[in-house]
Amino acid sequence: MTRLEHLGAARLRAGLDEAFALIAGRFKRREVRLRARSCIEGLLSGLERKTSWSLAEYAGEATPDGMQRLFSTAKWDVDGTRDDVRGYVTAHLGQAEGVLVGDDTGFEKKGVHSAGVQRQYTGTAGKVTNCQIGVFLGYATSRGRAILDRELYLPAASWIADPPRCATAKVPAQVGFATKPQLLQAMIERTIVAGVPFGWVTADEAYGDNGPLRLFLESRQLAYVLAVARDHRISTRTGPIRADTMTGQIPKAGWQRLSCGPGAKGERRYDWALVATTSPAHHLLIRRSITRPGELAYFLCHTPNPAPLPELVRVAGARWTIEECFQTAKNEIGMDHYQVRLYPAWYRYMTLAMLALAFLAVTRAALSHEPQEEPRPSRPRPQQNLITISVNEIRRLYAQLTRPPLDERHAHRWSQWRQRHQTGARRAHYRRQQTKDR
């Protein structure tokens, strides 16, 4: 492993310069371009909350107006930037056996004005709550993992069926209702057109149980390992059988104990069984917990070319990588800290957050593949058996090594600005309350 002393401020800044240079041409005005760079630096910083206010203060600006314009009205090519982020990830992490990972995550929000917000279930909170849902396409290889694409889910009844509400949130008129699997399919199509190397697609039950999505992947001859529900029916010689019914028909010798990849606490070992169907390209993969045999998971596999069980297990295990991306993006980069309401603003914030996350993943990959430095025989080897540095630790190092010097006058000006804003907001709330009481 490369010594951490090599990961200094100059190297980190140079790495971010390289990443930002790829998207710099998407910003026509120098002012907007510099502000976007400052925004990404703020996302990588140690700020407690990464809102327009805090990002603007970190960037040395006098008010949040400019940062808010970056997300709302400033002119820049957000989809082109997304494509550049995808190219950056592909250039540094791309592998032919890479896995596209689809999933969605929730962003809890107050109020009713944020695009796509409504009371709906999100696994992030584990309950029905007021939130937005974003659908994302992750990319996982042995070199690292990152997020390639993003789409905001707009509910049919509360949003698409209410054109005035959509217009207020700046939802383009041509945007119609699309289910989450349809949004994922659109992102996969863009990835194919872009020439991203990958060999597999995986996702959870919400996508695996969607027939049209599976048919789309099969029509493109794409291999997949998709989670399906226990009542999913597979075709056998004796007729359709539920997935959970097949479990009881597997002999003891039909199970193999394999790891689906390393986890935080060691190898993630399970018992696995592969069940044939009437289609030579389709199999049912069953995962059984070793310590709790009653805990089962089911995966439908489509393999245009035969694939061994360990390979299917590897792909099934790759699904957790997007959960890791979400966790890092939210905890370290502030992906869920945004305070934007407009539909275009959501895409702008997410795209810049994706670049910040990709920068961390690429930096980690570069460190992991550098040749080990041979220490002098007389020197101790305190770092000999350290694990590979995490993207979280790289983000913390970036924050510590590149933070701007403290400017007390700037800090006090911002404190006074916040007080004035909060005073005005409270006065407006009191006026509205008095109006209601009359």
Side-chain angles (χ1 to χ4, degrees):
M1 186 189 73
T2 302
R3 289 169 52 198
L4 293 185
E5 288 85 348
H6 291 178
L7 195 60
R11 177 169 179 174
L12 288 167
R13 288 195 179 99
L16 189 57
D17 286 341
E18 176 193 349
F20 190 79
L22 298 173
I23 70 168
R26 304 296 181 178
F27 304 89
K28 300 304 181 184
R29 293 181 56 198
R30 180 175 182 273
E31 173 193 358
V32 180
R33 182 166 58 252
L34 294 178
R35 186 166 288 124
R37 170 60 188 260
S38 297
C39 174
I40 296 172
E41 291 176 349
L43 293 175
L44 292 166
S45 74
L47 290 171
E48 182 180 359
R49 296 288 296 174
K50 294 166 182 178
T51 64
S52 297
W53 287 19
S54 60
L55 292 171
E57 182 179 5
Y58 183 84
E61 300 189 5
T63 70
D65 298 344
M67 198 64 71
Q68 290 171 339
R69 284 196 299 272
L70 175 67
F71 300 130
S72 57
T73 59
K75 293 183 179 180
W76 55 284
D77 184 357
V78 65
D79 285 342
T81 303
R82 172 206 63 203
D83 295 343
D84 294 336
V85 173
R86 182 176 56 214
Y88 174 62
V89 171
T90 301
H92 292 275
L93 306 183
Q95 289 180 329
E97 66 273 20
V99 183
L100 297 183
V101 190
D103 201 2
D104 53 78
T105 188
F107 303 93
E108 292 190 74
K109 297 295 172 185
K110 297 179 180 179
V112 298
H113 300 292
S114 299
V117 73
Q118 72 165 18
R119 287 190 59 80
Q120 53 193 327
Y121 178 81
T122 169
T124 305
K127 62 181 180 181
V128 174
T129 186
N130 202 59
C131 66
Q132 296 169 293
I133 299 292
V135 182
F136 294 84
L137 182 66
Y139 184 59
T141 73
S142 64
R143 297 174 183 169
R145 68 272 313 180
I147 295 176
L148 298 182
D149 211 337
R150 72 288 175 266
E151 288 288 352
L152 179 63
Y153 172 69
L154 296 176
S158 60
W159 278 92
I160 298 302
D162 190 347
R165 189 184 191 190
C166 287
T168 301
K170 304 297 182 183
V171 178
Q174 68 270 21
V175 174
F177 175 69
T179 64
K180 295 168 191 174
Q182 287 172 334
L183 294 175
L184 178 59
Q185 177 177 324
M187 290 188 284
I188 294 173
E189 287 180 313
R190 288 197 289 262
T191 302
I192 295 172
V193 172
V196 175
F198 70 94
W200 297 88
V201 177
T202 188
D204 66 14
E205 290 180 21
Y207 302 91
D209 283 333
N210 186 266
L213 176 61
R214 296 199 308 270
L215 289 175
F216 160 74
L217 296 174
E218 292 167 14
S219 69
R220 295 299 189 96
Q221 291 294 295
L222 298 177
Y224 64 69
V225 178
L226 299 174
V228 292
R230 60 186 299 176
D231 61 355
H232 184 86
R233 293 182 175 273
I234 63 170
S235 299
T236 68
R237 293 178 180 178
T238 58
I241 298 180
R242 283 173 50 124
D244 54 357
T245 302
M246 285 300 306
T247 305
Q249 301 179 16
I250 300 173
K252 185 177 180 179
W255 296 94
Q256 294 188 46
R257 187 158 297 179
L258 298 168
S259 169
C260 59
K265 299 180 180 179
E267 295 291 330
R268 295 175 294 141
R269 297 188 181 278
Y270 295 91
D271 290 332
W272 302 84
L274 192 62
V275 180
T277 71
T278 55
S279 166
H282 291 88
H283 292 79
L284 177 69
L285 178 65
I286 304 175
R287 187 189 72 196
R288 185 178 68 184
S289 171
I290 296 173
T291 56
R292 294 181 291 273
E295 290 187 6
L296 300 161
Y298 306 91
F299 304 84
L300 186 64
C301 306
H302 174 251
T303 53
N305 299 311
L309 178 60
E311 178 69 356
L312 299 177
V313 168
R314 178 187 73 86
V315 177
R319 207 201 69 77
W320 71 273
T321 59
I322 198 166
E323 298 291 350
E324 183 186 63
C325 286
F326 290 155
Q327 185 178 32
T328 299
K330 291 181 178 182
N331 294 346
E332 303 294 335
I333 297 172
M335 180 185 258
D336 57 345
H337 293 181
Y338 63 89
Q339 293 178 335
V340 299
R341 292 180 174 180
L342 303 181
Y343 181 85
W346 185 90
Y347 281 87
R348 292 178 171 208
Y349 188 95
M350 286 299 154
T351 303
L352 295 180
M354 284 164 48
L355 178 58
L357 180 65
F359 161 70
L360 296 177
V362 168
T363 302
R364 182 180 186 271
L367 289 171
S368 300
H369 288 82
E370 286 182 353
Q372 274 194 324
E373 195 176 86
E374 288 295 333
R376 298 173 185 173
S378 60
R379 294 172 59 187
R381 305 179 68 174
Q383 298 185 10
Q384 182 177 6
N385 296 316
L386 291 182
I387 63 172
T388 302
I389 189 171
S390 67
V391 293
N392 296 23
E393 188 59 30
I394 293 172
R395 204 283 307 162
R396 294 187 190 103
L397 276 173
Y398 182 93
Q400 292 294 322
L401 296 174
T402 66
R403 60 184 175 184
L406 177 64
D407 183 338
E408 291 190 13
R409 292 182 59 188
H410 179 69
H412 284 127
R413 283 197 299 268
W414 264 91
S415 179
Q416 293 168 2
W417 191 93
R418 281 190 290 269
Q419 285 181 283
R420 290 195 299 269
H421 182 89
Q422 291 161 359
T423 300
R426 184 174 66 175
R427 186 181 299 117
H429 289 317
Y430 283 5
R431 287 174 180 171
R432 281 196 294 269
Q433 186 63 50
Q434 290 172 359
T435 303
K436 292 179 182 178
D437 292 342
R438 290 174 185 172

